[in-house]
Amino acid sequence: MAQKKYLQAKLTQFLREDRIQLWKPPYTDENKKVGLALKGLAKKYSDKLECCENEVEKIIEEIRCKAIERGTGNENYRTTGIATIEVFLPPRLRKDRKNLLETRLHITGRELRSKIAETFGFQENYIKIVINKKQLQLGKTLEEQGVTHNVKAMVLELKQSEEDMRKNFQLEEEEQNEAELKEKRIERTKRGLEILAKRAAETVVDPEMTPYLDIANQTGRSIKIPPSERKALMLAMGYHEKGRAFLKRKEYGIALPCLLDADRYFCECCRELLDTVDNYAVLQLDIVWCYFRLEQLECLDDAEKKLNLAQKCFKNCYGENHQRLVHIKGNCGKEKVLFLRLYLLQGIRNYHSGNDVEARECLHKAQQLFKELYIDPSKVDNLLQLGFTAQEARLGLRACDGNVDHAATHITNRREELAQIRKEEKEKKRRHLENIRSLKGMGYSTHVAQQALHAASGNLDEALKILLSNPLMWWLNDSNPETNNHQESPSQENIDQLVYMGFDTLVAEAALRVFRGNVQLAAQTLAHNGGSLPAELPLSPEGSLSSPTTSPSDSAGTSSASTDEDMETEAVNEILEDIPEHEEDYLDSTLEDEEITIAERR
């Protein structure tokens, strides 16, 4: 199959260079049948390629038929508005000819999925359609999703075996259950990541009690991300990790939707951020690798663009000749596995495009890098006996050029360094939570406390000054029921407390109206402003602010609350199971897949 794709690419390249139009005479007659001149063309190109003339003639005829099909489809689309979609089926259903489907573009994604299922023998609830590197949305029309004439659609099957191979009802039921489970896993993935991303954005969860995700740099320290981009980046990285977990299990059909979702969320982040982290580059490699393993590389029109983007991102992130990486980590041995996969995929892509010289160069670089990165199993065993994990052993040996003693020292130092970093990050998080609790104890809501601490770079005293100097900030941002008492008039007891502190009775009553009966906030604000309320507070004629209202649904719980909480816990736990403990998990590889792929292309 790979040899045929190579010949197809080379012959297409020759035809383009010679400006041969196979759909016109003398290669095609008036009845659209093959012309006699095609044999002479096959002879010319077979001599040039030094391969079988009959095989070349057969491939040229396939190219001619495809060109005529495309021309007929184009004419049909112009006159009737009926578009042609090229459908790429799973490998088990792959045929030599194209799988074409005609449809109008005003139908919904659900209708297209149903048509594909009916035409090619799938159960429609157990397939996903990928067009333009995006999952087909069932509720929108094809036009709304940018689907055009002659577009390529890839079918991802959630079941593993053919319908017609089922031997009994029990097997059929098991396979349906398997597909349903996979679909539920995808939905739980989305739900779990949404919950974790929300917790990360709130930054007030207790790490001892509530699971959450954090973003760290290459040394393992948390990094600050603008709130506007934090959720998108968190979702992007979460989907990427989930996709990588499926890749490890070789569940490529489920991995691809996760990876494409990760790509979509990464695109919501600013370009500057993407150029400074290697996550986006690794994702591009994983997407192309997934298409390759699904044997659908031809369906990814911009594979070359993605690989070039990955190479550019690696250069921006690691520096020329990896000098920035060496400065940060002291070595670049572990990251070389990424370049091995990059060169390998570039070689495969060039081969399928007919660029044999470039393909050989890339594959040669991949082969040389594989020899450099190959690890003697006995060295891994030596480190295992010292109490290190297999993953630590592989990463350590690559960082230390295969030296066992140096690798043991490297792993030990890294363990100690990470333990110290985690301790410091945990302490930083604890202080942040204590500061929020302190401000809440003074009467401020969680949301307002967060905003003030963010503005004060985490300094509690500065945050308090900000709040006291800007009571309007408290009012505009506090719609939290925990501080919103909605009382019509303050109690005499609360007024008496403020009067006892030395404030005027009328001012005390007005302050309590403003702060909804909160004595602490009223007292702090009056004391900070010399016994009066600041002029910028927009008081109503009655001397109080008009309170925002909450809908009845905000205050009432439902009997299903505990069930929803259980479902959330299940979704979150499923995500956390696939989040690797080791921060360099994405750099760890046994290189088994790469070894097989290189061997197949020698």
Side-chain angles (χ1 to χ4, degrees):
M1 180 60 73
Q3 174 67 14
K4 182 178 179 180
K5 287 181 179 178
Y6 169 74
L7 286 176
Q8 285 174 333
K10 289 300 292 184
L11 290 169
T12 301
Q13 183 181 328
F14 291 160
L15 292 168
R16 192 177 295 118
E17 290 171 354
D18 294 342
R19 298 184 179 180
I20 301 293
Q21 297 178 320
L22 291 176
W23 60 95
K24 292 182 178 181
Y27 309 104
T28 300
D29 62 23
E30 63 276 7
N31 297 318
K32 296 185 178 179
K33 300 294 184 181
V34 60
L36 295 176
L38 191 136
K39 280 190 173 293
L41 201 61
K43 176 71 169 63
K44 173 185 173 182
Y45 290 153
S46 63
D47 290 344
K48 195 171 183 178
L49 291 168
E50 297 180 351
C51 61
C52 175
E53 182 179 337
N54 288 337
E55 186 177 359
V56 170
E57 183 179 350
K58 182 180 177 182
I59 294 174
I60 293 177
E61 171 60 7
E62 288 179 5
I63 295 173
R64 188 189 72 84
C65 290
K66 289 176 183 177
I68 292 174
E69 278 182 0
R70 179 176 284 266
T72 303
N74 291 343
E75 180 62 29
N76 189 40
Y77 179 62
R78 283 193 294 269
T79 56
T80 67
I82 297 177
T84 299
I85 294 178
E86 185 177 359
V87 181
F88 287 76
L89 301 176
R92 70 177 184 83
L93 296 175
R94 193 81 46 79
K95 298 177 181 178
D96 266 352
R97 63 181 181 80
K98 274 188 177 181
N99 300 290
L100 302 178
L101 188 73
E102 292 186 340
T103 181
R104 295 192 180 275
L105 299 178
H106 59 70
I107 68 170
T108 64
R110 181 173 281 102
E111 290 172 304
L112 177 63
R113 185 183 70 169
S114 179
K115 184 177 286 191
I116 289 175
E118 182 180 353
T119 303
F120 300 106
F122 297 105
Q123 287 185 288
E124 63 176 289
N125 290 331
Y126 303 145
I127 59 173
K128 287 187 177 293
I129 312 299
V130 175
I131 298 179
N132 296 331
K133 302 178 294 299
K134 296 177 183 176
Q135 282 191 72
L136 187 68
Q137 297 183 49
L138 302 182
K140 292 186 178 181
T141 67
L142 304 185
E143 288 175 323
E144 289 173 332
Q145 299 181 66
V147 177
T148 58
H149 174 57
N150 283 333
V151 77
K152 296 177 180 179
M154 184 171 71
V155 179
L156 296 177
E157 192 177 20
L158 298 182
K159 293 183 296 182
Q160 298 300 315
S161 57
E162 298 182 58
E163 296 283 333
D164 56 10
M165 290 180 63
R166 293 176 174 166
K167 295 182 180 179
N168 53 54
F169 178 77
Q170 182 181 0
L171 179 59
E172 181 175 346
E173 190 175 52
E174 288 175 359
E175 290 185 351
Q176 288 181 359
N177 289 339
E178 179 188 355
E180 289 170 358
L181 285 172
K182 289 183 178 179
E183 182 65 27
K184 287 178 181 177
R185 286 165 73 188
I186 293 172
E187 291 304 316
R188 284 200 301 272
T189 292
K190 293 181 179 179
R191 179 63 182 147
L193 286 172
E194 288 283 350
I195 294 168
L196 289 167
K198 182 181 177 183
R199 290 177 183 173
E202 290 172 349
T203 67
V204 293
V205 295
D206 186 344
E208 298 293 338
M209 303 295 294
T210 309
Y212 74 104
L213 297 180
D214 201 4
I215 301 174
N217 60 18
Q218 291 173 332
T219 65
R221 295 188 181 278
S222 296
I223 54 177
K224 290 185 178 180
I225 304 293
S228 59
E229 296 186 18
R230 186 175 181 84
K231 183 177 179 181
L233 184 59
M234 190 66 70
L235 285 169
M237 296 176 69
Y239 274 114
H240 189 190
E241 288 296 348
K242 192 67 179 177
R244 288 186 64 251
F246 287 127
L247 279 180
K248 287 180 181 179
R249 296 194 284 268
K250 302 190 185 304
E251 296 183 69
Y252 303 111
I254 305 179
L256 186 58
C258 292
L259 298 176
L260 294 177
D261 279 338
D263 199 30
R264 176 165 58 90
Y265 281 112
F266 266 124
C267 290
E268 294 180 15
C269 302
C270 69
R271 186 78 247 173
E272 182 182 355
L273 179 63
L274 298 184
D275 284 340
T276 56
V277 295
D278 62 2
N279 306 73
Y280 190 52
V282 175
L283 175 63
Q284 304 310 304
L285 288 185
D286 288 340
I287 290 174
V288 179
W289 182 258
C290 199
Y291 272 94
F292 167 62
R293 300 302 296 181
L294 286 166
E295 299 181 29
Q296 300 281 23
L297 201 54
E298 59 192 301
C299 196
L300 185 62
D301 292 330
D302 65 344
E304 184 177 0
K305 179 183 175 183
K306 284 188 173 296
L307 294 175
N308 290 340
L309 179 60
Q311 193 162 20
K312 179 184 175 184
C313 286
F314 284 141
K315 183 178 178 180
N316 291 337
C317 183
Y318 297 157
E320 195 74 41
N321 299 320
H322 306 165
Q323 74 267 24
R324 180 171 176 267
L325 185 64
V326 173
H327 176 72
I328 294 172
K329 289 188 170 184
N331 65 82
C332 61
K334 291 171 284 190
E335 280 72 15
K336 287 182 179 179
V337 297
L338 301 176
F339 288 89
L340 168 56
R341 182 162 287 189
L342 173 65
Y343 297 148
L344 184 55
L345 288 172
Q346 285 177 330
I348 294 168
R349 177 63 183 169
N350 277 307
Y351 183 79
H352 287 178
S353 300
N355 303 322
D356 45 335
V357 176
E358 293 87 344
R360 281 197 296 269
E361 289 177 357
C362 292
L363 290 172
H364 177 70
K365 286 197 289 187
Q367 190 172 358
Q368 293 302 114
L369 205 49
F370 173 80
K371 291 177 180 177
E372 180 183 337
L373 295 173
Y374 175 79
I375 295 174
D376 184 347
S378 65
K379 294 183 178 181
V380 175
D381 290 338
N382 290 340
L383 290 170
L384 290 176
Q385 291 174 12
L386 294 176
F388 302 121
T389 67
Q391 183 178 66
E392 287 177 320
R394 286 189 294 267
L395 291 169
L397 286 166
R398 287 184 181 132
C400 300
D401 297 322
N403 186 298
V404 176
D405 293 335
H406 292 174
T409 303
H410 173 83
I411 298 169
T412 302
N413 292 341
R414 186 58 182 155
R415 278 185 175 185
E416 293 172 355
E417 182 184 349
L418 279 175
Q420 181 61 30
I421 289 173
R422 286 169 183 157
K423 181 179 178 182
E424 292 172 3
E425 293 295 325
K426 187 176 179 180
E427 177 61 21
K428 189 193 302 182
K429 187 75 176 177
R430 186 192 63 77
R431 287 197 305 269
H432 180 70
L433 289 172
E434 282 186 357
N435 289 342
I436 288 178
R437 292 191 187 106
S438 296
L439 291 176
K440 286 178 67 177
M442 299 175 193
Y444 297 103
S445 72
T446 299
H447 181 62
V448 171
Q450 276 184 276
Q451 288 208 323
L453 285 166
H454 179 73
S457 300
N459 186 292
L460 178 61
D461 293 335
E462 289 299 319
L464 187 56
K465 288 179 184 178
I466 290 171
L467 288 169
L468 292 174
S469 302
N470 300 277
L472 188 60
M473 172 186 174
W474 175 86
W475 169 254
L476 292 175
N477 289 288
D478 186 28
S479 59
N480 193 324
E482 66 186 88
T483 60
N484 194 349
N485 297 326
H486 301 297
Q487 62 182 59
E488 294 182 359
S489 58
S491 68
Q492 188 60 47
E493 181 183 354
N494 288 348
I495 294 173
D496 290 343
Q497 284 187 54
L498 291 179
V499 171
Y500 182 77
M501 295 177 194
F503 300 116
D504 179 79
T505 303
L506 293 177
V507 174
E509 183 175 354
L512 287 169
R513 287 182 183 276
V514 168
F515 294 106
R516 306 174 196 137
N518 191 310
V519 176
Q520 290 188 52
L521 290 181
Q524 290 166 5
T525 304
L526 291 174
H528 187 75
N529 291 277
S532 62
L533 286 172
E536 68 267 20
L537 282 174
L539 295 172
S540 66
E542 293 77 17
S544 68
L545 288 163
S546 56
S547 300
T549 60
T550 56
S551 65
S553 62
D554 291 336
S555 58
T558 66
S559 59
S560 64
S562 60
T563 303
D564 291 342
E565 186 176 333
D566 290 340
M567 292 176 66
E568 286 191 358
T569 301
E570 181 183 354
V572 167
N573 288 340
E574 192 164 306
I575 294 294
L576 295 176
E577 286 174 3
D578 285 328
I579 300 296
E581 291 186 13
H582 201 291
E583 77 286 354
E584 292 181 328
D585 177 81
Y586 72 105
L587 300 176
D588 176 42
S589 174
T590 61
L591 301 184
E592 290 175 0
D593 288 339
E594 286 82 353
E595 183 178 17
I596 293 170
T597 305
I598 290 171
E600 290 173 346
R601 279 155 180 79
R602 282 178 181 168

